[in-house]
């Protein structure tokens, strides 16, 4: 027998009411135990389902060193986003394993690749972050970004972020990634410019494991899928 999924507060009130009826001899022992077990079981099932529910935002910290800034960033995420998943990737720099033990996040030190300039490690590491976070959106941050409040306006781009003056990816790689993403989400639009404050729709990213070999010249890429 299944009961309606109850919130903790509602379930508590119902069990208190059942207990009162039982104490007043208006419910037999068997009726009381059966009704209470249904309520408890339904509430536990609801709680387990909520635990498994995918969170909207996960935070991918793309770092090298700058430990004080990274520590502050993690604390601000916890302040404004509670238990939202955090994944810290160090591009051959400091390890943040101890920080993640304290703040319940995940971390990884990757071989140095200066991946801001190399598309394969850049997208491979973002793919790994999306797997680890398992959220609807991946928010990529760098140590020079700070968080001052919760997100008040939901993302309206599949790949977007702060419009800054960083060197952008070349047209060939943008067209390549857009074409692959549109097989999953036909209206996908790339508006990512290379900034640290960026967001990515994870379902598209997870369906496109990076398998690109490339040569690089002045941040323009020839692709061999």
């Amino acid at each position: 027998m299944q009961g309606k999924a109850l919130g903790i507060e509602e379930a508590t009130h119902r069990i208190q009411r059942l207990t009162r009826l039982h104490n007043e001899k208006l419910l037999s022992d068997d009726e009381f135990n059966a009704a209470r077990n249904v309520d408890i079981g339904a509430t536990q099932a609801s709680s387990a389902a909520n635990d498994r529910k995918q969170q909207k935002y996960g935070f991918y910290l793309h770092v090298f060193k700058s430990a004080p800034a990274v520590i502050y960033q993690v604390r601000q995420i916890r302040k404004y986003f509670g238990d939202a998943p955090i994944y810290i990737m160090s591009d051959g720099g400091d390890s943040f394993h101890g920080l993640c033990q304290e703040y319940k996040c995940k971390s990884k030190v990757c071989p140095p690749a200066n991946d801001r300039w190399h598309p394969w490690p850049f997208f491979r590491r973002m793919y790994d972050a999306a797997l680890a976070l398992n959220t609807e959106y991946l928010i990529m941050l760098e140590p020079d970004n700070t968080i001052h409040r919760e997100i008040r306006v939901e993302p309206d781009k599949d790949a977007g972020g702060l419009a800054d003056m960083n060197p952008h990816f070349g047209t060939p790689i943008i067209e390549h990634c857009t074409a692959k993403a549109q097989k999953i989400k036909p209206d996908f639009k790339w508006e990512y410019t290379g900034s640290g404050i960026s967001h990515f729709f994870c379902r598209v990213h997870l369906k496109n494991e990076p398998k690109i070999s490339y040569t690089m010249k002045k941040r323009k890429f020839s692709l061999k899928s």
Side-chain angles (χ1 to χ4, degrees):
M1 180 178 178
Q2 288 186 321
K4 177 184 175 182
L6 304 175
I8 298 298
E9 185 174 348
E10 182 184 357
T12 300
H13 287 317
R14 285 191 56 156
I15 291 172
Q16 288 174 343
R17 179 172 176 273
L18 290 170
T19 302
R20 185 175 66 254
L21 292 173
H22 180 248
N23 290 338
E24 293 173 357
K25 308 298 184 183
L26 298 176
L27 282 179
S28 68
D29 291 345
D30 290 342
E31 290 172 329
F32 169 69
N33 289 328
R36 184 183 62 173
N37 289 340
V38 167
D39 279 353
I40 292 173
T43 302
Q44 289 174 338
S46 175
S47 177
N50 287 335
D51 289 342
R52 292 191 299 270
K53 185 178 179 181
Q54 185 185 54
Q55 295 202 48
K56 191 172 188 70
Y57 301 114
F59 293 84
Y60 170 42
L61 277 54
H62 182 282
V63 308
F64 176 58
K65 290 184 180 289
S66 306
V70 175
I71 293 169
Y72 178 77
Q73 202 168 63
V74 169
R75 288 173 175 169
Q76 290 297 94
I77 293 171
R78 287 286 172 258
K79 177 179 179 180
Y80 291 107
F81 294 92
D83 62 351
I86 301 172
Y87 179 87
I88 304 175
M89 188 287 299
S90 174
D91 186 10
D94 293 340
S95 169
F96 293 91
H97 178 69
L99 177 68
C100 282
Q101 283 188 316
E102 180 177 354
Y103 287 94
K104 295 181 174 58
C105 53
K106 298 178 181 179
S107 67
K108 184 175 183 179
V109 179
C110 294
N114 194 15
D115 67 10
R116 298 168 299 171
W117 289 95
H118 294 73
W120 188 87
F122 181 84
F123 287 114
R124 174 74 242 188
R125 292 168 180 183
M126 189 181 294
Y127 176 84
D128 292 338
L131 279 176
L133 293 170
N134 187 32
T135 53
E136 184 178 352
Y137 283 94
L138 176 153
I139 309 295
M140 188 178 81
L141 301 171
E142 292 180 339
D144 59 348
N145 309 142
T146 58
I147 294 174
H148 302 281
R149 66 186 188 191
E150 70 283 358
I151 294 174
R152 297 181 182 176
V153 179
E154 294 191 2
D156 59 357
K157 308 293 190 302
D158 301 299
L162 184 69
D164 63 13
M165 299 305 294
N166 282 338
H168 297 181
F169 284 109
T171 299
I173 193 133
I174 293 175
E175 291 179 347
H176 175 85
C177 292
T178 299
K180 291 180 71 68
Q182 286 178 345
K183 293 179 181 179
I184 310 300
K185 190 173 187 289
D187 60 347
F188 176 90
K189 291 183 179 180
W190 173 297
E191 298 193 27
Y192 170 61
T193 64
S195 64
I197 305 177
S198 309
H199 65 265
F200 300 87
F201 185 52
C202 287
R203 183 167 63 86
V204 168
H205 204 63
L206 288 172
K207 293 287 186 179
N208 286 293
E209 182 174 0
K211 296 178 180 177
I212 299 173
S213 60
Y214 64 91
T215 57
M216 180 182 74
K217 185 177 182 180
K218 294 183 180 178
R219 204 169 171 77
K220 294 181 180 180
F221 310 102
S222 62
L223 304 173
K224 298 177 182 178
S225 298

